[in-house]
């Protein structure tokens, strides 16, 4: 869809472009009122038509089912392979030393995780190491508080990582794996607490029994008695993985002994459960090394799980949208959308079963592999919502019941239910809508459970939320009364499933954060489309790598095809901020809308960029009047090339481009126009270790505006007096520091006391004043006491005050007119005192400029500014907001004084 981007007037002819960079001005800019009727965006015309069932079965098989299964197999196969290799390497030979087994678990687990998360696996490693540190410290000091301490540690780490350490994209990618790891660490702490309390209780009972034995027994040495009784009760305190030499088939973990670092890390990060889950206990992990069972059932279980998983993947991605197209009854499409989500969940659940079994987890006592993560039948044909919740993710249900519900049940059943759902919400991240949905599910499930129990008691009918076995009823399970009531509640559960799908379809921000609802996620495989829609099912069609993305042929909630339906799997999806209408007074967030789109195939000469930083500037407000909404909001950015068919811009190149407020963009560099002859896209100049964000400020257009506009026009000399209005803006603050480098005396005006303090204490201004508190005449007199005058005046503001400045100029003074921002939104011509008298009598030179005048020397200014910054002679100031979603907020902040220096939005993690 980049055609729409390239055809829009993203940048005009460049008039006044540099005038708007200085955002410290005396009057608000809310005067202009623009009337414009929004028009349809042609870039989305192909997506706005309902997709009907007009593709043949052969097309579905060839262009959807086959590529989906093929691409899925390439990635899922790697995880299953590493899990199988881990089992082959550690469970074939009993002679392998225990620490080597656990080390192999960590190595293979990290390799599998790195395939999906790349460097974000560091968050997993950090949490695992921090948890072990807590376990070590608390083992001997707070032996009964390891569970609560582990809970606080894991949740605290996740909150810090989510809000301060990781970018939203990175955290969404790793959140599911962090959730599984958090569940492991919390259960580990509580298991050690519980088992130690049980053993201590057993010790007290044995001590009481020993006190009542005969005198003969009392004559036995106390130390020997203690060793004997403990030997009967617990395994040897040697490494528990050596229990394979025991004659007994029953394996027990020695909970009196603290796990070694290798045991702990192997449990935390192993290939069977790290990427997709499921949660397993520490006992399950350790037991996998005890007399491992090798049989054909193991291989059959893996194959069947993969087959079931891929079946549900194709149902969600291909068959479901094909069978139920748009345009039918809205509740039917809502249920279809929810069904697609559920099918994607079944896919991930069965894949998690396959990887866990491949690693050797889930062996039953009878030698069968009975690990189950999900019961699709209980969800698709529900008896109750209670059964849906229990069957949705069986391991997580067990975890919540064991470590949340049972622990808090002594405070009441309702409190236990609410606590359980609160824990589920915390595990999935702090998202209000997700929390509200989970809470509503908890309340409804509890109410349904109580109501049906009461109905069963009154009617003597088998209508409990879960079927009760072995109890006789007046109206048994097959009676018409029981069938009718169970059917009604089952239909209500189906309605809730459709409602769940609609809820998650309404908030795109929620989809990413909750894509792993109730426990599992295909974190690396999320469709970066307009609605992420729990893109678990698209795992294998949308691997999120900046250099390689696949497009899901269908969005599971909108069921609309990609632009090039079935013709090309490889597709990059980007987001952009659209200006919906012209501003009416203060810019508002409602004036913007974020949209997603596929960028289409690359043609010769095209590149795709991924934005790192976006520049927001005051000039964008008045300049937006030349745009025709709805259209991409103008702006420049620093970006990385992630795909390229232009040899001049290879993948990995950093560029400065003028493509507007976009997260990713498809560009033809030779066709993208800039301002006043400047190229619309250039390779980023080399500025060494400095932040790339400076390429939008001190080492970019604002920097060159200050550098050339001041030095070339004002031609300052050592000892001269320089005055700058709007001195705390992106340009004015740099002009003042350049003037100090040239040995001038510098005075400036700004709009707040904080900015005045910054100018004098950090930027080196000799004097600055707040024009809102001090008149221009008084401020100039204090800065340049009579008879001193002004040699150089860098003009940013305009208006009547500028005439006062001209009257204080020295003979043959120079005035560089960068802008007149105080008058830009005046609807009537502003009347100001005549300046001709000062110009003539003082022989002043007054010259306006546009910075593209010096395009042939562009890099000269950037290199010099970067050098001054590295030497500490210039101290650029930036106000940086994190996240592409914050772009309108940053822009609006320019007009409410939220920034100091250059305002920048950081999109990518640096």
């Amino acid at each position: 869809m980049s055609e729409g981007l390239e055809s829009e007037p993203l940048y005009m002819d460049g008039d006044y472009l540099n005038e708007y960079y200085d955002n410290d001005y005396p009057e608000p800019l809310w005067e202009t009122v623009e009337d414009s009727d929004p028009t349809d965006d042609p870039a989305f015309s192909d997506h706005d038509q309902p997709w009907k069932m007009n593709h043949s079965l052969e097309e579905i098989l060839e262009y959807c089912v086959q590529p989906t299964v093929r691409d899925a197999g390439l990635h899922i196969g790697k995880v299953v392979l590493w899990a199988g290799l881990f089992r082959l390497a550690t469970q074939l030979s009993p002679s392998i030393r225990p620490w080597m087994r656990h080390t192999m678990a960590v190595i293979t687990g990290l390799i599998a995780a790195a395939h999906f998360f790349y460097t974000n696996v560091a968050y997993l490693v950090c949490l695992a190491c921090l948890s072990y540190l807590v376990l070590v410290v608390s083992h001997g000091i707070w032996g009964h508080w390891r569970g609560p301490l582990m809970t606080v540690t894991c949740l605290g780490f996740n909150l810090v990582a989510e809000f301060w350490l990781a970018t939203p994209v990175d955290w969404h990618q790793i959140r599911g794996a962090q959730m599984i790891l958090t569940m492991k660490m919390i259960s580990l702490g509580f298991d050690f607490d519980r088992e130690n309390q049980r053993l201590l209780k057993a010790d007290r009972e044995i001590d009481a029994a020993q006190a009542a034995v005969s005198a003969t027994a009392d004559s036995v040495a106390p130390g020997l008695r203690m060793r004997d009784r403990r030997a009967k009760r617990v395994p040897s305190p040697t490494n528990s993985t050596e229990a394979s030499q025991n004659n007994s088939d029953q394996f027990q973990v020695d909970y009196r002994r603290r796990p070694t670092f290798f045991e702990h890390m192997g449990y935390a990060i192993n290939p069977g459960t790290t990427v997709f889950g499921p949660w397993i206990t520490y006992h399950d992990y350790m037991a996998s090394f005890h007399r491992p069972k090798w049989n054909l059932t193991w291989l059959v279980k893996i194959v069947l799980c993969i087959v079931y998983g891929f079946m549900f993947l194709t149902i969600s991605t291909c068959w479901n949208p094909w069978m139920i197209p748009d345009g039918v009854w809205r509740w039917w499409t809502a249920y279809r959308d929810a069904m697609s989500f559920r099918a994607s969940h079944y896919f991930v659940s069965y894949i998690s079963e396959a990887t866990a079994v491949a690693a050797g987890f889930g062996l039953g006592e009878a030698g069968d592999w009975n690990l189950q993560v999900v019961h699709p039948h209980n969800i698709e044909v529900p008896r109750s919502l209670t059964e849906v919740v229990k069957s949705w993710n069986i391991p997580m249900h067990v975890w919540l019941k064991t470590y949340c519900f049972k622990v808090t049940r002594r405070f009441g059943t309702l409190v236990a239910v609410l606590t359980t759902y609160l824990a589920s919400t915390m595990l999935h991240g702090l998202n209000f809508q997700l929390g509200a949905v989970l809470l509503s599910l908890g309340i409804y499930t509890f109410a349904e459970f109580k109501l049906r129990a009461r109905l069963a008691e009154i009617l003597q009918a088998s209508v409990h939320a879960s079927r009760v076995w072995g109890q006789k009823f007046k109206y048994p399970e097959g009676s018409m009364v029981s069938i009718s009531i169970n059917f009604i509640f089952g239909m209500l559960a189906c309605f809730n499933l459709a409602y769940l799908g609609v809820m998650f379809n309404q908030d795109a921000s929620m989809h990413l954060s909750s894509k792993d609802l109730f426990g599992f996620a295909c974190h690396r495989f999320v469709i970066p489309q307009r609605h992420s829609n729990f893109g678990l099912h698209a795992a294998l069609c949308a691997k999120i790598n900046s250099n390689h993305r696949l497009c899901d042929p269908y969005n599971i909630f909108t069921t609309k095809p990609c632009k090039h339906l079935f013709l090309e799997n490889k597709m990059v999806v980007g987001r952009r901020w659209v200006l919906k209408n012209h501003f009416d007074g203060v810019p508002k967030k409602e004036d913007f809308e974020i949209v997603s789109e596929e960028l289409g195939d690359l043609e010769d000469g095209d590149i795709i960029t991924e934005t790192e930083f976006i520049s927001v500037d005051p000039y964008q407000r008045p300049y937006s009047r030349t745009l025709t909404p709805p259209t991409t909001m103008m702006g420049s950015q620093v970006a990385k090339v992630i795909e390229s068919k232009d040899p001049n811009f290879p993948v990995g190149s950093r560029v400065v481009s003028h493509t507007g407020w976009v997260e990713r963009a498809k560009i033809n560099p030779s066709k993208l126009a800039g301002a006043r002859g400047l190229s619309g896209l250039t390779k980023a100049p080399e500025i060494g270790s400095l932040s790339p964000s400076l390429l939008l400020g001190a080492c970019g257009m604002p920097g060159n505006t200050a550098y050339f506009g001041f030095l070339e026009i004002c031609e300052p000399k050592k000892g001269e007096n320089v005055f700058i209005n709007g001195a705390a803006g992106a340009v004015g603050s740099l002009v003042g520091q350049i003037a100090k480098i040239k040995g001038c005396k510098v005075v400036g005006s700004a709009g707040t006391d904080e900015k005045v303090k910054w100018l004098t204490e950090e930027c080196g201004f000799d004097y600055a004043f707040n024009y809102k508190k001090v008149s221009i005449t008084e401020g100039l007199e204090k800065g340049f006491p009579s008879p001193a005058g002004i040699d150089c005046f860098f003009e940013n503001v305009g208006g009547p005050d500028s005439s006062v400045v001209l009257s204080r100029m020295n003979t043959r003074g120079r005035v560089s007119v960068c802008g007149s921002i105080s008058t830009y939104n005046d609807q009537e011509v502003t009347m100001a005192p005549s300046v001709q008298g000062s110009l003539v009598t003082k022989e002043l030179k007054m010259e306006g400029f546009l910075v593209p005048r010096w395009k042939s020397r562009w890099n000269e200014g950037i290199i010099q500014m970067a050098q001054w910054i590295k030497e500490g002679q210039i101290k650029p100031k930036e106000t940086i907001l994190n996240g592409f979603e914050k772009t309108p907020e940053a822009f609006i902040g320019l007009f409410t004084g939220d920034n100091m220096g250059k305002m920048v939005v950081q999109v990518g993690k640096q």
Side-chain angles (χ1 to χ4, degrees):
M1 294 253 179
S2 60
E3 293 87 344
L5 287 178
E6 294 175 358
S7 63
E8 295 168 354
L10 292 178
Y11 274 78
M12 288 54 64
D13 61 2
D15 294 339
Y16 310 111
L17 186 61
N18 57 292
E19 298 181 358
Y20 299 90
Y21 269 107
D22 236 286
N23 58 357
D24 186 46
Y25 41 87
E27 300 296 334
L29 301 178
W30 316 144
E31 307 300 330
T32 303
V33 178
E34 299 289 344
D35 294 321
S36 176
D37 293 328
T39 59
D40 293 333
D41 186 348
F44 287 94
S45 59
D46 59 340
H47 277 281
D48 291 336
Q49 302 299 323
W51 180 56
K52 301 188 180 302
M53 186 174 167
N54 55 2
H55 297 283
S56 67
L57 178 62
E58 290 76 12
E59 288 177 320
I60 294 294
L61 289 173
E62 181 177 357
Y63 298 112
C64 185
V65 175
Q66 292 181 12
T68 296
V69 172
R70 180 182 64 248
D71 295 331
L74 291 176
H75 300 293
I76 294 299
K78 295 178 182 179
V79 184
V80 176
L81 176 63
W82 282 111
L85 289 176
F86 158 71
R87 186 169 194 234
L88 290 172
T90 60
Q91 300 172 32
L92 271 179
S93 174
S95 62
I96 299 177
R97 298 183 64 83
W99 70 267
M100 294 179 65
R101 295 174 176 172
H102 304 303
T103 302
M104 181 64 70
V106 176
I107 294 174
T108 53
L110 286 176
I111 293 174
H115 176 69
F116 294 92
F117 313 130
Y118 286 108
T119 57
N120 289 328
V121 296
Y123 295 111
L124 298 175
V125 176
C126 289
L127 179 57
C129 293
L130 182 61
S131 300
Y132 184 72
L133 179 63
V134 172
L135 194 66
V136 171
V137 173
S138 61
H139 186 76
I141 304 176
W142 301 292
H144 301 299
W145 294 92
R146 282 167 288 199
L149 286 173
M150 201 71 84
T151 301
V152 172
T153 300
C154 292
L155 294 182
F157 177 87
N158 290 341
L159 289 175
V160 170
E162 181 171 5
F163 288 103
W164 288 286
L165 299 181
T167 64
V169 173
D170 286 341
W171 190 248
H172 288 318
Q173 187 186 78
I174 198 69
R175 173 176 284 159
Q178 287 286 125
M179 181 183 66
I180 297 296
L181 180 56
T182 298
M183 292 168 63
K184 289 180 182 179
M185 299 298 96
I186 292 176
S187 65
L188 180 64
F190 278 106
D191 285 346
F192 269 84
D193 288 346
R194 184 179 62 249
E195 290 300 317
N196 271 277
Q197 291 175 7
R198 183 183 65 81
L199 294 175
L200 289 174
K201 181 179 179 181
D203 279 347
R204 289 193 292 269
E205 292 175 353
I206 292 175
D207 290 340
Q210 288 289 343
V213 298
S214 63
T216 303
D218 290 336
S219 63
V220 179
L224 180 59
R225 289 203 313 272
M226 181 64 69
R227 289 193 299 271
D228 289 344
R229 72 187 184 202
R230 290 184 177 177
K232 296 177 183 178
R233 188 167 61 246
V234 299
S236 170
T238 58
N239 198 312
S240 59
T241 56
E242 295 176 356
S244 59
Q245 300 173 1
N246 221 323
N247 291 329
S248 175
D249 288 333
Q250 186 66 33
F251 175 78
Q252 293 182 358
V253 174
D254 183 7
Y255 284 99
R256 294 181 181 273
R257 181 183 61 83
R258 172 174 52 79
T260 67
F261 179 75
F262 296 106
E263 292 170 342
H264 176 89
M265 295 300 291
Y267 170 56
I269 306 174
N270 62 77
T273 61
T274 296
V275 178
F276 298 105
W279 165 78
I280 61 172
T281 65
Y282 178 67
H283 178 276
D284 294 335
Y285 170 73
M286 298 296 290
S288 67
F289 303 107
H290 176 73
R291 294 194 174 183
K293 187 75 172 180
W294 294 90
N295 52 26
L296 184 61
T297 309
W298 173 71
L299 185 59
V300 171
K301 173 72 172 179
I302 297 173
V303 173
L304 286 178
C305 286
I306 294 176
V307 170
Y308 290 149
F310 279 72
M311 178 186 70
F312 284 114
L313 173 64
T314 57
I315 289 175
S316 175
T317 304
C318 303
W319 301 119
N320 200 27
W322 184 62
M323 296 294 294
I324 311 175
D326 287 344
V328 299
W329 186 39
R330 59 178 299 184
W331 283 105
W332 183 235
T333 58
Y335 187 79
R336 173 208 64 194
D337 298 339
M339 181 181 176
S340 292
F341 158 57
R342 297 194 302 275
S344 68
H345 169 72
Y346 304 150
F347 158 65
V348 178
S349 298
Y350 276 113
I351 294 303
S352 70
E353 282 187 31
T355 57
V357 171
F361 308 132
L363 180 64
E365 294 182 0
D368 56 337
W369 299 87
N370 56 10
L371 175 66
Q372 281 191 305
V373 175
V374 67
H375 280 308
H377 178 268
N378 292 348
I379 301 172
E380 295 304 317
V381 188
R383 178 188 179 93
S384 64
L385 196 60
T386 303
E387 287 295 304
V388 172
V389 171
K390 291 167 59 177
S391 303
W392 182 265
N393 188 323
I394 298 171
M396 188 168 192
H397 172 73
V398 172
W399 187 92
L400 291 170
K401 182 177 180 180
T402 303
Y403 303 103
C404 297
F405 185 82
K406 289 184 177 180
V407 173
T408 57
R409 192 171 186 178
R410 62 178 181 270
F411 302 110
T413 305
L414 179 59
V415 173
V417 170
L418 295 179
T419 302
T420 300
Y421 279 88
L422 176 62
S424 180
T425 302
M426 291 293 292
L427 285 173
H428 290 89
L430 296 180
N431 182 286
F432 175 79
Q433 187 175 351
L434 173 62
V437 171
L438 291 179
L439 180 62
S440 65
L441 285 175
I443 295 175
Y444 178 88
T445 303
F446 177 73
E448 180 194 32
F449 180 84
K450 287 293 186 181
L451 175 61
R452 296 183 69 166
R454 184 61 176 163
L455 287 175
E457 181 182 353
I458 294 174
L459 301 176
Q460 284 297 300
S462 179
V463 294
H464 289 86
S466 298
R467 186 170 182 177
V468 178
W469 299 93
Q471 183 176 345
K472 294 184 178 181
F473 296 96
K474 180 180 178 180
Y475 300 102
E477 193 70 26
S479 66
M480 185 58 63
V481 172
S482 297
I483 291 176
S484 300
I485 295 176
N486 289 330
F487 176 77
I488 292 172
F489 279 101
M491 292 304 295
L492 286 174
C494 291
F495 174 82
N496 273 276
L497 292 174
Y499 162 77
L500 182 66
V502 172
M503 286 293 293
F504 285 117
N505 186 37
Q506 291 176 348
D507 186 355
S509 66
M510 182 179 173
H511 300 149
L512 279 174
S513 64
S514 58
K515 64 183 181 294
D516 46 1
L517 184 62
F518 294 108
F520 298 100
C522 188
H523 325 284
R524 184 59 193 281
F525 302 115
V526 182
I527 284 221
Q529 287 186 338
R530 184 171 189 176
H531 300 290
S532 300
N533 304 321
F534 304 89
L536 310 179
H537 74 290
L540 314 237
C541 301
K543 185 177 179 184
I544 292 197
N545 175 346
S546 59
N547 294 326
H548 179 73
R549 290 175 176 78
L550 302 175
C551 178
D552 179 16
Y554 305 94
N555 180 307
I556 67 172
F557 280 103
T558 62
T559 42
K560 294 176 181 178
C562 296
K563 183 178 180 183
H564 303 289
L565 180 62
F566 300 129
L567 299 180
E568 178 61 60
N569 277 338
K570 192 172 182 180
M571 189 76 68
V572 175
V573 178
R575 296 185 295 169
R576 60 185 177 119
W577 279 105
V578 168
L579 179 66
K580 296 196 298 183
N581 44 258
H582 287 299
F583 302 122
D584 183 0
V586 181
K588 301 176 291 295
K589 192 169 183 180
E590 292 74 24
D591 295 326
F592 304 96
E593 179 184 15
I594 191 169
V595 298
S596 298
E597 58 191 2
E598 298 92 10
L599 301 184
D601 303 322
L602 289 183
E603 299 178 358
D604 289 342
D606 288 347
I607 64 173
I608 291 181
T609 61
E610 190 167 60
T611 301
E612 296 178 311
F613 294 95
I614 294 176
S615 174
V616 292
D617 304 282
Y619 82 85
Q620 293 166 342
R621 187 189 185 281
Y623 243 73
S624 66
R625 280 177 268 170
T626 64
L627 301 178
T628 302
T631 186
T632 304
M633 184 59 182
M634 63 177 62
S636 57
Q637 62 275 123
V638 175
K640 278 287 189 71
V641 178
I642 60 174
E643 293 188 22
S644 176
K645 284 191 176 181
D646 186 334
N648 297 317
F649 297 92
V651 172
S653 302
R654 177 173 280 132
V655 297
V656 178
S657 63
H658 301 279
T659 50
W661 292 0
V662 299
E663 185 180 39
R664 300 183 187 92
K666 189 181 81 170
I667 306 166
N668 187 313
S670 63
K671 298 179 181 179
L672 183 63
R676 282 281 191 180
L678 288 177
S679 174
L681 182 140
T682 59
K683 282 190 177 181
E686 179 57 48
I687 59 174
S689 60
L690 300 180
S691 170
S693 62
L694 293 178
L695 294 169
L696 301 175
C699 295
M701 186 176 287
N704 275 351
T705 301
Y707 180 82
F708 291 112
F710 178 61
L711 296 180
E712 294 296 317
I713 295 177
C714 289
E715 298 178 329
K717 301 175 180 62
K718 184 175 182 181
E720 288 189 326
N721 295 334
V722 176
F723 176 71
I724 307 158
N725 55 10
V731 173
S733 59
L734 297 176
V735 170
Q737 295 179 77
I738 294 173
K740 291 303 297 181
I741 292 174
K742 298 301 180 180
C744 301
K745 179 179 181 180
V746 180
V747 175
S749 62
T752 67
D753 292 340
E754 181 185 7
K755 292 178 180 179
V756 167
K757 182 179 179 181
W758 171 60
L759 290 174
T760 55
E761 294 186 359
E762 294 189 37
C763 296
F765 279 55
D766 296 283
Y767 176 72
F769 60 93
N770 184 343
Y771 61 79
K772 296 179 181 179
K773 296 181 178 181
V774 179
S775 69
I776 184 66
T777 302
E778 182 182 354
L780 292 178
E781 181 61 32
K782 289 184 178 180
F784 306 110
S786 298
I790 302 169
D791 299 295
C792 300
F793 173 28
F794 197 86
E795 165 72 289
N796 291 306
V797 177
D801 285 356
S802 294
S803 300
V804 178
V805 179
L806 293 177
S807 68
R808 291 294 309 271
M809 296 287 292
N810 290 327
T811 301
R812 295 188 179 86
R814 287 84 67 198
V815 182
S816 178
V817 183
C818 179
S820 181
I821 199 167
S822 68
T823 65
Y824 289 153
N825 281 346
D826 291 346
Q827 296 193 3
E828 297 181 359
V829 177
T830 301
M831 301 301 295
S834 174
V835 300
Q836 283 83 352
S838 298
L839 291 175
V840 173
T841 58
K842 296 178 178 290
E843 301 181 72
L844 302 180
K845 182 181 76 170
M846 189 173 186
E847 183 178 349
F849 71 94
L850 293 173
V851 71
R853 179 198 301 185
W854 295 281
K855 61 183 180 182
S856 62
R857 300 169 56 192
W858 197 256
N859 282 346
E860 172 193 328
I862 292 176
I863 293 171
Q864 182 58 74
M865 293 295 291
Q867 184 64 32
W868 281 335
I869 293 172
K870 293 175 182 178
E871 294 172 353
Q873 297 188 73
I874 286 183
K875 299 176 181 178
K877 186 76 171 179
E878 293 179 303
T879 301
I880 299 179
L881 270 63
N882 291 307
F884 182 69
E885 297 78 7
K886 295 290 186 69
T887 310
E889 179 183 332
F891 177 66
I892 295 169
L894 295 174
F895 306 103
T896 55
D898 294 348
N899 69 299
M900 189 178 297
K902 185 73 181 75
M903 177 74 88
V904 177
V905 177
Q906 180 174 328
V907 179
K909 185 177 180 181
Q910 300 304 305

